[in-house]
Amino acid sequence: METSEMELTSHFATFAFLFLCLIPQAIADLNSDKQALLQFSARVPHGRKLNWSPAIPACMSWIGIYCTHDGSRVIGLHLPCVGLHGPIPSNTLGKLDALTILSLRSNRLSGILPSDVLSLPSLRYVNLQHNNFSGHIPSSLSPNLDFLDLSFNSLTGTIPTTVQNLTNLTGLNFQNNSLTGHIPNLNLPRLRLYNLSFNDLNGTIPSSLNKFPASSFLGNHICGPPLNQCLIINPPFPSPTHFSPSTLPRNTERTAMLALHRREKFKE
């Protein structure tokens, strides 16, 4: 056999070996994704029935599930308006370590935001608007997030400063919550959509964010461009303090009495 044929045969054998080794791993990863989704479905009540069943392929038939081209991993979960209610249990969606898109908007999900999900490094798009989530926004967020919408919930606490580390972010929407504190200074070059309206934020709008319209900041206790300029209120000039002899400090009282005595003596 010539050398080139031997090399070709060797390359083909290597490829076949790797392919056969990767198939079991891909099946294992997909099975892990299916189990995580089935646990989520079993523990979170939903008004609209989902056709999720271990008996049918998840990547071909399950409602709201999107997979890679080769069908080896779940990368998208899109379940708007299906009547999901209650908290998202830990160790369910947080196990989908290839998840890129998460959209559960317009449901009745509640409880704290699932930090094990929002911190998944693979996650890039999150839409959880119009639910009943409460508590604080997790400080651990996926560093690869492109879009984060947590609007129309019941979130409290401050905006985590770790948001400034999300350098890929193009959209951030926290409107209609109960967030408090100051607005962090964000220098995110790709940010195009930004909305913090109708919260309980206070202070001055950072200069890095005044390029956004006034509608992004309405309904708070904040000032500065693009809203009205902050008023600088000078403290009132202190009025002189009058002491009665009974309230004067000891030395001051003695001095006042001596002065009075001198005036009376002068009159004589």
Side-chain angles (χ1 to χ4, degrees):
M1 183 181 293
E2 296 182 0
T3 304
S4 58
E5 291 181 357
M6 292 179 64
E7 290 177 350
L8 183 62
T9 302
S10 175
H11 287 318
F12 179 78
T14 303
F15 175 78
F17 174 77
L18 291 173
F19 181 75
L20 291 173
C21 288
L22 289 174
I23 286 178
Q25 182 61 47
I27 293 173
D29 289 339
L30 183 58
N31 284 336
S32 175
D33 290 347
K34 286 178 64 174
Q35 289 303 313
L37 290 167
L38 288 171
Q39 290 175 13
F40 170 78
S41 176
R43 296 172 62 184
V44 178
H46 41 280
R48 209 172 90 193
K49 187 175 181 181
L50 302 177
N51 68 336
W52 295 2
S53 167
I56 59 177
C59 290
M60 295 178 62
S61 307
W62 285 18
I63 292 172
I65 300 301
Y66 299 88
C67 296
T68 54
H69 290 300
D70 61 1
S72 62
R73 298 303 307 270
V74 172
I75 59 172
L77 177 58
H78 184 68
L79 291 175
C81 309
V82 296
L84 296 169
H85 60 95
I88 296 177
S90 58
N91 295 317
T92 56
L93 301 185
K95 290 184 175 180
L96 302 175
D97 56 10
L99 193 67
T100 302
I101 298 172
L102 175 66
S103 178
L104 302 175
R105 62 176 176 82
S106 303
N107 283 285
R108 289 179 292 156
L109 292 166
S110 59
I112 62 173
L113 289 167
S115 58
D116 63 335
V117 180
L118 296 183
S119 61
L120 286 170
S122 59
L123 206 57
R124 298 187 63 179
Y125 180 98
V126 175
N127 191 347
L128 298 176
Q129 66 165 308
H130 285 284
N131 280 285
N132 296 316
F133 287 112
S134 58
H136 293 193
I137 298 171
S139 58
S140 296
L141 298 168
S142 168
N144 296 310
L145 276 176
D146 291 336
F147 185 86
L148 179 61
D149 192 339
L150 303 177
S151 60
F152 295 92
N153 280 282
S154 300
L155 300 172
T156 56
T158 59
I159 299 172
T161 56
T162 49
V163 171
Q164 64 191 354
N165 299 327
L166 308 180
T167 54
N168 292 327
L169 208 62
T170 61
L172 180 70
N173 192 349
F174 291 162
Q175 74 174 109
N176 285 82
N177 280 284
S178 298
L179 300 173
T180 56
H182 293 268
I183 300 173
N185 187 25
L186 302 179
N187 284 305
L188 301 176
R190 300 183 61 191
L191 196 62
R192 299 291 178 268
L193 169 68
Y194 188 73
N195 198 330
L196 300 178
S197 60
F198 300 100
N199 280 279
D200 291 318
L201 299 165
N202 58 67
T204 305
I205 298 172
S207 59
S208 61
L209 300 172
N210 60 24
K211 62 183 178 181
F212 294 100
S215 58
S216 297
F217 304 99
L218 295 176
N220 288 285
H221 313 290
I222 53 180
C223 57
L227 301 180
N228 295 330
Q229 289 287 351
C230 299
L231 295 176
I232 301 175
I233 302 176
N234 294 319
F237 189 79
S239 58
T241 304
H242 298 282
F243 294 99
S244 64
S246 61
T247 59
L248 287 170
R250 195 168 202 174
N251 290 338
T252 307
E253 183 179 353
R254 183 172 180 275
T255 303
M257 292 301 291
L258 288 172
L260 180 61
H261 177 71
R262 290 194 193 99
R263 284 199 299 271
E264 293 299 325
K265 188 175 182 180
F266 179 78
K267 289 178 183 178
E268 295 176 357

